[in-house]
Amino acid sequence: MARILSIQSHVVSGYVGNRAATFPLQLLGHEVDVINTVQFSNHTGYNAVRGDRFSASHVLDLFDGLQTNGLDAYTHLLTGYMGNSDNVRAVECIAQKLKHKFPQLTFVVDPVLGDDGALYVPRELIALYRDVLCPLATLVTPNQFEAELLTNTKITSLDTAKSACDELHRIGVPNVVITSAVLDSASGDHTLHLIGSELCLESGAKHQFAIAFPRLSGYYTGTGDLFAALLLAHYATLAPQFAALGALARACELATATLAGIMQATKLHQESTLVNVASNLPRGSRPNAMVRGFELRIIPSRHLISNPTPSFQSFSI
């Protein structure tokens, strides 16, 4: 069982950030404590959002309280949405303190920068993630756009995806998962690829792999947060069982199976609402009833979390 500190966003209603991560991690048998970087009424796909963004001093003060009371015996650190450079620096400080106390700490960084060509955060965070958090990380989980920003590599094929992974290895990250990429060789934009790469720092051995899976139409939010949590949960369980490389690919198969199942359940739920879904609606213009229908069906799909059946197999690349 892992003891996990998760630092990312929080919403009162819906499933993104810590709301998407905590339940799956707990259901898979791990202890989870959370520090929230924001507290919003709902995610930003809705037409209105209320709440506060928390300062780095707030994040550090909460962690100081944990330290003071001896509550900081974590084996894993998971980070998601930071929002500003000060919070990235706060996470750097927390990661260094946890590594000092427990050198074997597994640090999973979901570098939440943007998606589909659009940044969600100030551009200065790109360099901070690349130069500050990535060298401390055990595993990073960027999407295609984020991986391109971090590595200055245009990803159009499995070969260019491998090159992006190699650049992240060069920065110091032993395990890389590009969670979803549209490749030129795929069947239009109906197929997505996950690309993973694990590097043994001691021997230099490397295993690179991919998983192909169908792309579902719709406006899903929180899928990256959910995937990072699922991947951490399975990797924490599997890594001690593998004497060599291979744990990451298996963990990705299990996490992908759960995520695909939950997204399919969400799609079916949205269709049952009979709310029309138009294409290419920008944030802020999507009807709230439609957005609500696309909230991830995590709780009704708990059986897919606890007992995933891998339906998409990894293959070496």
Side-chain angles (χ1 to χ4, degrees):
M1 178 181 70
R3 289 206 70 242
I4 301 162
L5 177 62
S6 178
I7 306 176
Q8 50 188 312
S9 62
H10 175 82
V11 291
V12 176
S13 179
Y15 293 96
V16 300
N18 273 326
R19 283 269 290 176
T22 303
F23 176 72
L25 287 167
Q26 292 173 326
L27 188 60
L28 288 168
H30 304 295
E31 292 282 359
V32 187
D33 293 342
V34 301
I35 293 178
N36 299 322
T37 55
V38 306
Q39 166 103 345
F40 287 163
S41 56
N42 43 265
H43 68 69
T44 56
Y46 289 89
N47 292 332
V49 179
R50 301 291 185 270
D52 291 316
R53 301 175 186 271
F54 297 132
S55 66
S57 61
H58 173 82
V59 172
L60 290 171
D61 188 49
L62 290 174
F63 183 75
D64 182 64
L66 296 172
Q67 273 195 308
T68 300
N69 291 294
L71 302 174
D72 59 338
Y74 297 109
T75 60
H76 292 69
L77 174 63
L78 171 64
T79 62
Y81 180 80
M82 295 292 107
N84 60 64
S85 58
D86 288 343
N87 278 341
V88 173
R89 288 295 186 181
V91 165
E92 175 194 17
C93 178
I94 291 170
Q96 288 174 335
K97 289 180 177 180
L98 290 177
K99 281 178 174 283
H100 179 75
K101 182 168 186 173
F102 185 65
Q104 293 79 36
L105 177 81
T106 296
F107 181 16
V108 178
V109 174
D110 184 8
V112 181
L113 295 168
D115 199 5
D116 294 327
L119 276 171
Y120 301 157
V121 299
R123 182 165 289 275
E124 65 195 54
L125 265 66
I126 300 171
L128 281 174
Y129 270 109
R130 183 186 64 238
D131 302 333
V132 175
L133 292 190
C134 282
L136 294 172
T138 311
L139 167 63
V140 296
T141 60
N143 59 37
Q144 181 176 10
F145 178 62
E146 291 160 346
E148 290 175 340
L149 291 174
L150 291 171
T151 65
N152 196 30
T153 302
K154 183 65 176 176
I155 298 172
T156 59
S157 64
L158 290 176
D159 284 340
T160 51
K162 288 167 62 177
S163 296
C165 290
D166 287 340
E167 176 61 17
L168 288 165
H169 288 322
R170 188 194 66 77
I171 292 170
V173 187
N175 299 282
V176 179
V177 175
I178 301 173
T179 57
S180 57
V182 178
L183 306 180
D184 289 347
S185 59
S187 303
D189 61 354
H190 301 297
T191 299
L192 295 174
H193 282 82
L194 174 153
I195 300 95
S197 184
E198 51 183 339
L199 174 69
C200 178
L201 297 178
E202 290 76 21
S203 68
K206 183 167 59 178
H207 177 219
Q208 295 185 305
F209 60 91
I211 299 174
F213 55 96
R215 183 179 192 175
L216 295 181
S217 61
Y219 299 95
Y220 306 92
T221 305
T223 53
D225 307 324
L226 174 59
F227 180 83
L230 292 167
L231 183 59
L232 186 161
H234 290 300
Y235 187 71
T237 300
L238 290 167
Q241 303 174 19
F242 281 72
L245 303 176
L248 186 63
R250 180 58 178 170
C252 284
E253 290 176 345
L254 294 170
T256 300
T258 296
L259 180 61
I262 290 176
M263 290 181 67
Q264 183 61 38
T266 302
K267 182 176 178 64
L268 292 174
H269 169 74
Q270 195 286 323
E271 290 172 350
S272 75
T273 68
L274 304 180
V275 176
N276 183 57
V277 179
S279 301
N280 302 316
L281 292 175
R283 285 176 178 264
S285 67
R286 302 168 188 172
N288 283 341
M290 185 197 75
V291 176
R292 176 65 176 169
F294 279 110
E295 290 282 9
L296 294 176
R297 302 288 287 171
I298 290 177
I299 304 303
S301 304
R302 56 193 177 275
H303 61 289
L304 300 175
I305 299 171
S306 56
N307 294 294
T309 302
S311 49
F312 308 106
Q313 302 297 317
S314 65
F315 56 93
S316 296
I317 55 176

